[in-house]
Amino acid sequence: MTTSFSPSATADAAASGNRNDLSSAYVASVRRRWVKPLVIGLTFMGLGGGAWALTEWTRSQQTLATLDLTEVASRTFDVILKEKGELKAAKSTDVICEVEGRSTIISLIPEGTAVQKGDLLVQLASDEIEDRIRQEELKEANAITAVEVARTDLDVQRDKNMSDVRKADLTIELARLELEKYQKGEWAQRLKDAEVAIEQATIMLERREEDFAAAKQLYEKKYVTKTEYQEDEFNHQKAIWDLDKAKKAKEVLEAYTHVAELRQKESDYEEAQKERVRVEKNAEAQELQKQRSLEGKEKELALIQDQLAKFRRQQEKCRITAPTQGFVVYFSESGRFMSNDNQIREGGTVHERQVILSLPDTTEMLVVVRVHEAKTNKLVLGQSVRVSVEGIPGRVFEGKVTKIAALADTQNRWLNPDLKEYETEITLDASEAVLKPGVTAYAEILVDSVTDKLAVPVQSIYARGGKRYVFRADGSNPAYAEVTLGAIGNEWAEIREGLKLGDDILLAYGDEQKRLIPEPRDVDGNSGPAGDRLNPHGGQAGKSTPKPAGQGETSRTVTPKGAGKSASANADSSTKVRG
């Protein structure tokens, strides 16, 4: 390796000739060349690290400063339930079709017409009624024939009754003879047969005992074979069995068979006597029935005449007039599909007891709304309501909740089986305005009113594990605080515990703040579900839950000056609760 030296060092080395002095000079020269740059480099590195740390600290302060902050303050707001419905008259007179079957509307007064009592409203076709009249005339002719037949039936029935009574008398006589035959002949014969069977079995047993005893002696002396001995032994045992069987047969005969057959014969005799009474009564009943049938047929003519008169009256009812004065409104089943044939129109059809139109009294009006089942817990009779009517801009009508249905309305179940709504009526206060039934109305029901209570925006509340949290601005490090809520509107939520007046909280928060809250755990120590922003209607936002109870609510607020601090929002739009 070639090394370059300064002239002065080379001269000193050459003059002294000392090799050690040359090495020392070289080392000193190298140190002077490298130590200074190294010190300068380390100095710049320290300054750069400090600048980076200062930059990061400043950036964190700027990030915190850009978050939306709001101050906890006393606020007054209303919780409002908004529903859409339609106007309806509190009192109305229905005009009903009183004609049987179905009838076609020939003429119909225009809807919206003001009518007086007696004015013609509807003219129905009477063709069907005329057909019924012709049918009743045919029935009249048939009824005359039926009367003649009924007279003949009565004569035949009387002859049949006499024959049935004679047969019943014969049955009694035969049953009596059967009973006497059994008591005086059959029973004695059967008893004798049983005694003879016992005697025969006894004699047979004695013989078999002698044969068995002899066979036993011969078998012991080897004069007979074992088979012959066993055969005599079996015959002896069989004779014992036959005797027992004969005795048992006699016992059964005396205790059961005789008793059963005797009772059966006696019962047959008694039943024959009772049957005679029944036949006689039945004969009288049949004769009376035929007599009444004849009387009925004779009265049927009068009944048919009454029917003819009835149909003639219905023919008159095809002309429907106004029972009272009012405002004509065609009937319509709201929420149900109506075919062209069922619509109230000229050429349409109506059936018996169907409401054709109504004559509402517009002096007192209602608003009918249908409230989802998830929101019915917010309804109370007497709640104040503000109503705006379509077509009357800028006018607000006051009213109160006067009726809440006890059962869900099922008119739309065929379209959505899971939809359950409760019909609610709102009675409007008296007004000089002219309101018509069927007009769309928008109701704002005052559910709750919060006055001068600590409140925060609902978007600042975070729900997790069944608890509610907010994030307080604590210098450069926001801290979470668990809170207890009261009334919740769409914009504001009442704070009962956890915050105090004047606290600054974050309006928007992200995952960095959420991680400050410990994971909720169940009884087994497992982590619970992740939290989310507060849903003002119940539950957590972003979760798959049924329609919230507060959907459609809004809130009117009175906010003190300086309640919030304006800054840029830094919130996750996918979890924000929309008011």
Side-chain angles (χ1 to χ4, degrees), residues 239-250:
I240 295 174
W241 293 339
D242 290 342
L243 178 59
D244 291 340
K245 181 179 178 182
K247 291 179 179 179
K248 182 61 69 176
K250 182 183 179 183

Side-chain angles (χ1 to χ4, degrees), residues 166-180 268-269 272-273:
R166 288 194 297 269
K167 288 181 181 179
D169 291 338
L170 179 60
T171 303
I172 292 174
E173 182 65 19
L174 295 176
R176 183 184 61 81
L177 293 175
E178 285 291 330
L179 177 60
E180 291 179 358
D268 291 344
Y269 180 60
Q273 292 176 324

Side-chain angles (χ1 to χ4, degrees), residues 464-536:
R464 188 177 204 177
K467 298 181 179 180
R468 304 293 185 263
Y469 302 92
V470 297
F471 296 94
R472 275 202 297 252
D474 185 11
S476 61
N477 297 316
Y480 72 90
E482 183 179 347
V483 294
T484 302
L485 304 182
I488 303 175
N490 272 38
E491 298 180 11
W492 303 99
E494 178 188 355
I495 300 295
R496 293 183 176 175
E497 295 181 2
L499 293 175
K500 63 181 182 299
L501 186 67
D503 284 347
D504 286 334
I505 62 172
L506 301 184
L507 271 177
Y509 49 83
D511 293 339
E512 195 173 316
Q513 285 78 32
K514 295 178 185 179
R515 284 193 289 268
L516 297 175
I517 301 175
E519 288 285 345
R521 296 186 177 275
D522 57 20
V523 293
D524 297 327
N526 300 319
S527 297
D532 216 322
R533 294 181 182 268
L534 174 68
N535 186 333

Side-chain angles (χ1 to χ4, degrees), residues 198-217:
I198 293 175
E199 186 66 24
Q200 289 177 349
T202 302
I203 294 172
M204 183 60 68
L205 177 60
E206 292 175 354
R207 290 179 181 178
R208 294 303 182 186
E209 286 179 348
E210 293 175 357
D211 293 343
F212 179 63
K216 187 175 182 181
Q217 293 177 0

Side-chain angles (χ1 to χ4, degrees), residues 33 37 39 71 179 268 278 285 337 399 412 418 435 450 473:
R33 293 175 58 189
V39 171
E71 181 179 342
L179 177 60
D268 291 344
R278 286 194 292 269
F337 171 77
N412 295 323
D418 296 329
L435 301 177
V450 178

